[in-house]
Amino acid sequence: MRLNKIVYLVLSCLACVTTVQAQNNKVPNAPLLTLKEAVETALQNNYDIRLSRNTSTIAKNNVTIGNARMLPTVTGSYTQSNSIQSTTQTRSDSTVNRISNANNTGSNYGVSLNWTIFDGFNMFATYDEFKQRDKLGQVRLQDTIQRTVSAVINGYYDLVNQQKQIEALRGVIDISRKQIRYATDRFEAGRVARLEVYTAQVALNTDTTTLISQEQTYKASKIELNRLLSRNPQTEFNVADTIIVDTKIILADIINQAQTQNPTILSASINKRLSEINLKQIRATRYPQISVNTGYQFNNSTNPAGFAQVQNSRGLNYGLAATINIFDGFNQWRRERNAKLQIDNSQLNYEQTRLEIEAQISNLFSSYLSGLQLIKVGQSNVELARKSLEISLEKYRLGSITPLEIREAQRNYLNALGVFYDAQYQSKAAEITLKQITGNINIQ
């Protein structure tokens, strides 16, 4: 009967590693933060996303034909001048006319229009540039969102993984406490020396130290997740206790989607287009620049010392201006040559980016597959290590194995749990990054 009770206690302890101990790891009265809530909070509060969104909006606001100088500019002006002068005039008949403190006034106001009607098609290239920069801003915003969501999901599941590690450590500590109790009972019965009790206590202290270190890492990871959510770093919360890995990812699909949806590749493609536009803008300076101008002006002036003491005028003015670059020290040729080289560089960068993304996908997919394999092996290994620990603990109680052997069984069990939980997180992290690369990240 006593043996059955002990075995029951051991089995209960090991079963509680993922139940009772999980509850002990929760922060009392702290809310459960679901992954969906974490992502929604980050999308709303994260500073990087907000900054990127504002930058993207600025680029969108710049896409106007007025900003591309396709529309005329109309300006109004008003000028008034005053002066007080003393004047002495000697006329042709030798008479002298003296005027003291004469008040001279003048005013000019009107409206004018200036319109560049041809600039070598530069205005059209500039408008196209603004549209491309708007696309680039949207791509970068989407990239920032995807990276932030990826970081949040990774951080969240990292906490789940660490929580599992803490639960396993606490389960092992429970076993260590039982080992101390058994060693003490055997010592009091005169069956072992006190050294065995000390050895069991050292093992418990070592496990406790490891647990404290793991809990500190867990707290630091919580602070980091709070930072990503742009909220008080000391905000307490609990996380879920399950990691579900998508096992249906296909390498070919990921590579194909990345070619058309990866933000880095899309950015490289847009930058290539911007280089081509830059060449058009430089070539535009070979053509004449033609503009028309017109306006209507009012002029009023008073001059007591003049022949016309009061003068008023108004009228329309208009004209045409044209300029062309005839010779600029071969700088035009130099700028065009450099622009062509920049196009070559952007093409090389585009091809290099595609190759690097494909290599990154291949590495991540390899990590993803190995993680899935480790999960399968780990599940079996955890069960075997658990059974081995149960048997070892009972043998230790009966005095048929040494403290080193029971310690080795504990270590094997803890390592098996660690490998299994790490494999889950490794596969999930690789899955998340693969989906981020293709712009298809989600919280499922």
Side-chain angles (χ1 to χ4, degrees):
M1 179 65 70
R2 183 184 177 188
L3 177 60
N4 291 336
K5 288 182 178 180
I6 292 175
V7 173
Y8 175 79
L9 288 174
V10 172
L11 292 174
S12 299
C13 175
L14 293 172
C16 286
V17 168
T18 55
T19 56
V20 175
Q21 293 299 330
Q23 294 176 354
N24 292 337
N25 194 47
K26 302 294 185 180
V27 179
N29 301 321
L32 173 65
L33 177 68
T34 66
L35 180 58
K36 182 179 180 181
E37 291 171 345
V39 170
E40 289 176 348
T41 301
L43 291 175
Q44 181 178 0
N45 298 338
N46 183 267
Y47 290 113
D48 289 336
I49 292 178
R50 291 162 67 183
L51 289 169
S52 184
R53 185 177 289 118
N54 287 342
T55 301
S56 177
T57 303
I58 290 173
K60 183 178 182 63
N61 292 340
N62 285 336
V63 185
T64 66
I65 58 176
N67 195 29
R69 300 185 298 277
M70 293 184 181
L71 298 178
T73 59
V74 180
T75 57
S77 62
Y78 177 81
T79 304
Q80 182 175 4
S81 60
N82 299 276
S83 65
I84 299 176
Q85 296 179 345
S86 296
T87 306
T88 301
Q89 297 175 333
T90 302
R91 299 174 178 166
S92 58
D93 59 357
S94 298
T95 60
V96 177
N97 181 31
R98 291 183 175 86
I99 302 176
S100 299
N101 299 323
N103 187 12
N104 302 316
T105 62
S107 62
N108 179 283
Y109 55 94
V111 61
S112 61
L113 177 146
N114 188 283
W115 192 0
T116 299
I117 58 176
F118 182 74
D119 63 353
F121 308 105
N122 181 54
M123 63 181 70
F124 299 101
T126 300
Y127 186 63
D128 193 13
E129 176 191 357
F130 291 146
K131 290 192 291 185
Q132 294 300 318
R133 293 197 180 279
D134 178 29
K135 291 181 181 179
L136 185 60
Q138 294 177 27
V139 169
R140 287 175 175 171
L141 171 59
Q142 184 65 22
D143 187 33
T144 301
I145 292 175
Q146 291 285 315
R147 288 180 183 276
T148 302
V149 171
S150 174
V152 169
I153 297 176
N154 269 313
Y156 188 92
Y157 283 122
D158 183 37
L159 285 174
V160 175
N161 177 41
Q162 291 185 48
Q163 183 174 266
K164 290 291 186 181
Q165 303 286 357
I166 291 173
E167 293 168 7
L169 284 169
R170 286 178 173 168
V172 169
I173 286 176
D174 283 346
I175 300 298
S176 295
R177 289 196 181 101
K178 290 182 181 294
Q179 183 181 350
I180 291 176
R181 188 168 68 250
Y182 293 159
T184 302
D185 292 343
R186 293 168 64 186
F187 168 73
E188 291 176 349
R191 297 170 58 189
V192 297
R194 184 177 292 275
L195 176 61
E196 189 163 319
V197 178
Y198 291 157
T199 301
Q201 184 63 54
V202 169
L204 175 60
N205 292 342
T206 300
D207 293 337
T208 303
T209 301
T210 304
L211 174 61
I212 292 173
S213 177
Q214 183 63 56
E215 287 178 335
Q216 177 57 38
T217 302
Y218 183 73
K219 291 178 181 178
S221 299
K222 270 191 169 184
I223 292 173
E224 174 60 17
L225 183 57
N226 280 327
R227 184 194 66 81
L228 289 172
L229 303 185
S230 298
R231 63 184 191 177
N232 189 332
Q234 302 304 322
T235 302
E236 282 293 355
F237 60 92
N238 294 312
V239 296
D241 53 7
T242 305
I243 297 179
I244 301 176
V245 181
D246 183 358
T247 60
K248 300 180 180 179
I249 295 179
I250 301 175
L251 178 60
D253 292 344
I254 293 293
I255 292 177
N256 291 334
Q257 291 173 4
Q259 301 304 320
T260 57
Q261 297 175 200
N262 177 259
T264 306
I265 293 178
L266 293 177
S267 295
S269 177
I270 293 173
N271 283 327
K272 177 185 174 184
R273 175 59 181 161
L274 287 172
S275 298
E276 295 169 348
I277 293 172
N278 180 56
L279 178 59
K280 290 182 178 181
Q281 292 172 322
I282 292 174
R283 283 176 171 171
T285 57
R286 288 185 175 274
Y287 296 89
Q289 312 292 306
I290 302 174
S291 63
V292 295
N293 58 81
T294 185
Y296 200 89
Q297 299 290 325
F298 296 84
N299 294 284
N300 301 302
S301 64
T302 60
N303 184 358
F307 290 101
Q309 294 183 353
V310 178
Q311 180 174 322
N312 298 313
S313 64
R314 61 182 180 179
L316 177 70
N317 60 77
Y318 53 91
L320 175 71
T323 61
I324 189 170
N325 177 26
I326 298 176
F327 180 72
D328 65 351
F330 304 108
N331 283 318
Q332 178 70 27
W333 175 83
R334 174 184 57 80
R335 290 194 297 269
E336 289 184 12
R337 183 175 178 82
N338 288 343
K340 291 177 181 177
L341 291 173
Q342 187 59 44
I343 292 175
D344 291 340
N345 284 344
S346 62
Q347 176 63 31
L348 293 173
N349 180 66
Y350 174 72
E351 294 173 359
Q352 181 185 28
T353 300
R354 291 184 59 181
L355 182 61
E356 289 176 348
I357 293 298
E358 187 169 344
Q360 183 183 6
I361 290 174
S362 298
N363 286 330
L364 286 168
F365 193 76
S366 176
S367 177
Y368 165 77
L369 290 180
S370 65
L372 292 180
Q373 293 173 345
L374 288 173
I375 289 174
K376 294 179 181 178
V377 175
Q379 286 176 325
S380 174
N381 202 33
V382 166
E383 182 62 21
L384 292 174
R386 182 182 66 82
K387 292 180 179 179
S388 176
L389 180 57
E390 293 173 11
I391 296 171
S392 297
L393 185 61
E394 178 59 19
K395 284 185 175 181
Y396 178 75
R397 187 189 69 82
L398 297 174
S400 59
I401 63 174
T402 66
L404 289 178
E405 290 175 305
I406 184 63
R407 186 62 178 166
E408 183 65 21
Q410 284 180 290
R411 187 178 295 110
N412 289 339
Y413 177 66
L414 184 60
N415 288 341
L417 284 174
V419 170
F420 174 65
Y421 295 144
D422 284 340
Q424 284 187 319
Y425 178 66
Q426 172 187 324
S427 294
K428 191 63 180 180
E431 171 205 326
I432 293 167
T433 307
L434 285 170
K435 291 180 178 180
Q436 174 206 325
I437 289 175
T438 59
N440 289 324
I441 198 167
N442 54 59
I443 60 175
Q444 300 300 322

